[in-house]
Amino acid sequence: MSDKVFNVLRKGFVNSAYVDVILGAALSFAFGLWMYSTMDNVDGKQARRTGTSSGLGELFDHGIDSLNCTLASLCETAAMGLGTSKAGIFTALIPCLPMFFSTWETYHTHTLYLGVFNGPTEGLILACTLMILSGYYGPEIWQQRITDLVGHHYFFGYHEFFGTYSVRDLWVPLLVTTLFGAHVPFCVINVVKARRRDNLPVMPVFLEWTPMAVFTFSIGAWLYSPYSTLMPDNHLVLFCLTMSFVFGRMTTKIILAHLTRQPFPYWTVMLTPLVGGAILGNLPRIGLPQVSPFIELWYLRAYFVFALIVYFRWAFLVINSICDYLGINCLTIPHNKIVANQEKAKATNGNVKTTNGHGKRVD
């Protein structure tokens, strides 16, 4: 990646001098996100076709989804030109919430429910559409008044209802409404139904929101603090990369507990530095001197390295343990399975009788 592209990504596409790079990058974001969505939908079918479906596949599938939460939304933040604004921070990190609640729901119901409007389908289609529009028209379209952008005549006389609002003005309220209106309530309803069906108490399950509450409030306390210099100094990319591993570890622990029927994991060691960062960014509130931008940045860099090492070490141990227990390979198909699939295909082909329209066998 060239330095020019890197600077565009780092600055959040707010510098008009990089318009030529913005358009191509936004379109590449859309293509990459759509390919990710496509692969995410065909991997299970491929595993069933080859007879290699297993719990490890589910762990891999949802684990990659968890890692991608902050990465895909970071591209969306950049494509819309939100930068390191409050709306940009919110956009980059909010996908973690629906992913957590869906994982929590799956842990209790043993089924992944997808509503009429859901992130993996409609959410990704919407994100790709916005990226394409940003790539074609430029991210400045999201700062235009909605009535001017769409056209007054399409509002059937109700254009004054939107006033001078732009898409950016209504973006955060739209995300919040979608999350708490179309996603979280149905997750809670399904979990409550599952607990009552199994004659289990309902109220204790809400304590399982603890890790996500710590994750969310710590991020807010750190990045939105007036004493933190991470966002003014454009370090949102590094922060999202770090949170990708932190959130990925948190949700994959829940998935693993679901697969192995273990107690719900209330904590991960990777949350501890996040709480420390929230405290570090608010030291003046407790009468201590503010840390320098240099120290805060190196704290985040150290956190990233720590999260990277812890995540991949844990992933390596878990994957090897599952492979050894099930007698399978990771990312490859064992030779005996290939031979079995070939023999099965031959047997199937040998038993199939191809007939023409008159019912006669065609050899």
Side-chain angles (χ1 to χ4, degrees):
M1 182 182 293
S2 67
D3 292 338
K4 188 176 184 181
V5 175
F6 177 78
N7 286 332
V8 170
L9 294 173
R10 184 175 61 83
K11 293 177 180 297
F13 291 168
V14 295
N15 193 327
S16 59
Y18 300 117
V19 171
D20 56 332
V21 181
I22 293 172
L23 304 184
L27 293 175
S28 71
F29 290 163
F31 176 77
L33 188 60
W34 186 252
M35 291 306 298
Y36 155 76
S37 175
T38 302
M39 296 297 104
D40 188 39
N41 282 284
V42 303
D43 57 355
K45 294 178 181 176
Q46 170 69 1
R48 288 187 289 273
R49 186 184 71 84
T50 57
T52 55
S53 180
S54 69
L56 179 61
E58 180 179 351
L59 186 65
F60 244 98
D61 190 313
H62 296 298
I64 297 298
D65 291 341
S66 299
L67 289 175
N68 193 53
C69 279
T70 62
L71 304 182
S73 55
L74 182 64
C75 293
E76 183 69 35
T77 300
M80 293 184 67
L82 299 176
T84 56
S85 64
K86 291 183 178 180
I89 298 169
F90 190 85
T91 302
L93 295 165
I94 192 176
C96 296
L97 283 168
M99 182 66 192
F100 172 83
F101 282 107
S102 290
T103 306
W104 170 73
E105 176 189 20
T106 303
Y107 174 83
H108 289 285
T109 64
H110 308 300
T111 304
L112 178 61
Y113 293 98
L114 293 177
V116 177
F117 185 93
N118 60 82
T121 307
E122 288 78 15
L124 289 179
I125 292 174
L126 176 61
C128 290
T129 302
L130 294 178
M131 291 174 182
I132 292 173
L133 291 175
S134 292
Y136 187 81
Y137 295 105
E140 63 273 8
I141 65 169
W142 311 119
Q143 301 179 41
Q144 298 179 20
R145 293 195 309 176
I146 296 176
T147 51
D148 296 336
L149 188 64
V150 179
H152 290 68
H153 57 285
Y154 287 108
F155 290 93
F156 304 103
Y158 292 96
H159 59 275
E160 295 182 357
F161 175 78
F162 291 92
T164 60
Y165 289 115
S166 66
V167 173
R168 285 188 60 169
D169 294 330
L170 301 179
W171 181 243
V172 171
L174 175 64
L175 294 178
V176 173
T177 301
T178 303
L179 174 63
F180 292 103
H183 187 85
V184 174
F186 296 100
C187 292
V188 174
I189 290 172
N190 289 331
V191 170
V192 170
K193 287 181 179 179
R195 298 287 290 186
R196 288 176 175 172
R197 179 196 63 211
D198 298 334
N199 295 319
L200 297 172
V202 173
M203 293 307 295
V205 300
F206 296 108
L207 292 176
E208 296 166 355
W209 294 2
T210 300
M212 195 62 205
V214 172
F215 180 82
T216 303
F217 287 115
S218 295
I219 289 176
W222 191 357
L223 297 189
Y224 288 130
S225 171
Y227 307 106
S228 174
T229 59
L230 291 181
M231 294 305 101
D233 290 345
N234 292 308
H235 297 304
L236 180 59
V237 172
L238 179 59
F239 189 87
C240 285
L241 289 174
T242 306
M243 292 304 104
S244 175
F245 293 114
V246 175
F247 182 72
R249 169 71 182 272
M250 185 166 62
T251 50
T252 47
K253 285 188 70 174
I254 300 173
I255 298 167
L256 185 61
H258 155 64
L259 293 173
T260 57
R261 300 296 190 268
Q262 296 295 313
F264 189 90
Y266 285 89
W267 190 257
T268 169
V269 68
M270 294 170 72
L271 285 174
T272 305
L274 182 58
V275 176
I279 296 173
L280 192 70
N282 289 274
L283 289 180
R285 297 184 188 277
I286 56 177
L288 297 175
Q290 179 181 356
V291 297
S292 67
F294 177 82
I295 292 177
E296 188 175 18
L297 175 58
W298 275 100
Y299 181 88
L300 178 59
R301 288 172 174 169
Y303 188 10
F304 171 74
V305 173
F306 169 75
L308 182 71
I309 294 173
V310 171
Y311 181 88
F312 278 107
R313 178 183 177 275
W314 181 79
F316 178 80
L317 294 175
V318 170
I319 292 172
N320 278 349
S321 297
I322 294 177
C323 288
D324 292 341
Y325 182 79
L326 297 179
I328 60 177
N329 293 346
C330 177
L331 302 180
T332 61
I333 302 176
H335 179 70
N336 59 343
K337 176 62 71 173
I338 295 176
V339 172
N341 288 339
Q342 292 173 344
E343 293 178 350
K344 182 178 180 181
K346 290 180 181 179
T348 301
N349 292 334
N351 293 329
V352 172
K353 294 181 179 180
T354 306
T355 59
N356 62 13
H358 301 286
K360 296 180 180 180
R361 179 170 176 172
V362 178
D363 294 316

